[in-house]
Amino acid sequence: MTRALLSFGHGYSARALTRLLTPRGWDVFGTTRKPDKKAALLDDGVTPLLWPGEDETAVQAALDRASYILISAGPTSEGDPVLARWQDQIAETASHVEWIGYLSTTGVYGDHRGGWVDESTALTPSTKRGQLRVEAEAQWQNLASEVGLPLHIFRLAGIYGPGRGPFAKVRNGTARRILKPDQVFSRIHVDDIAQVLWASMQRHHPGAVYNLCDDDPAPPEDVIAYAAKLLNQPIPPAEDYATAEMTPMARSFYAESKRVRNDRIKNELGVHLKYPTYQDGLLALLAEEEGLNRM
């Protein structure tokens, strides 16, 4: 029987994974909240399911069929939305599900003033988003422990890739170089997220937690400067974080500074990153953009 994946909240990272699965003959079912996104999922070879919405019966059928489940839907103040609706049904799949992946965030570690963290670091989030993720992780871990689900948690750093790079902002003059002392972020190319998930789907380690990031944590202003250099554009002027005009959401991203270790995905899953530095990733993105523009 063809292997099947049910993806709750089928978004950017799940679409990258789909590009690895469908050529290998997998059936992929993906939920979306928005009816206008169903056509795009169909174009990717995904069977789209409108949930929350009219396709609950089809979601149940996919749960009965799929032996792999990916959770990308983010938590709310009411908790994890997938568990709120489907916990009992997912628990009933424990006998035939081989792998469940939950996409979390490195924001669960909180602020470490530029210091290193790994999967054993205590979870001390300093933002509401991070706290909600800690709570959602615990919900999934509790269910997995109760019914024997093969849960794998993936803590993602800042995601970039096609359509999510700094080039558009540099070109249109909206890119900003916000400087805050000792501020560093970890990041990861979406194709590397996909290959880590695929590696985990082939090497099951129930209960495992993995950090997904590249090898080169860096100040955000350095990434903008490098993108401008690649485009032969002026480097945007520096702005002091303390006085820069920023939305509360934008400012919250600077509330935490840390360097994230990724040894476990290499040692346990045998992953070799396609884009181990942001320079590698941005070079590839620009080459892809230029190739598309020549077509």
Side-chain angles (χ1 to χ4, degrees), residues 11-17 19-20 156 158-164 187-197 212 274-275 281 285 288:
Y12 190 66
S13 298
R15 291 180 69 184
L17 176 61
R19 291 192 288 271
L20 298 182
L156 278 55
I159 304 169
Y160 73 100
R164 289 197 184 181
R187 53 193 56 78
I188 187 165
H189 193 290
V190 70
D191 288 349
D192 278 324
I193 295 174
Q195 73 146 328
V196 171
L197 294 177
L212 273 62
K274 294 176 65 176
Y275 308 107
L285 284 181
E288 182 178 349

Side-chain angles (χ1 to χ4, degrees), residues 159-176:
I159 304 169
Y160 73 100
R164 289 197 184 181
F167 295 128
K169 289 184 177 181
V170 171
R171 289 187 179 107
N172 64 28
T174 61
R176 305 175 68 189

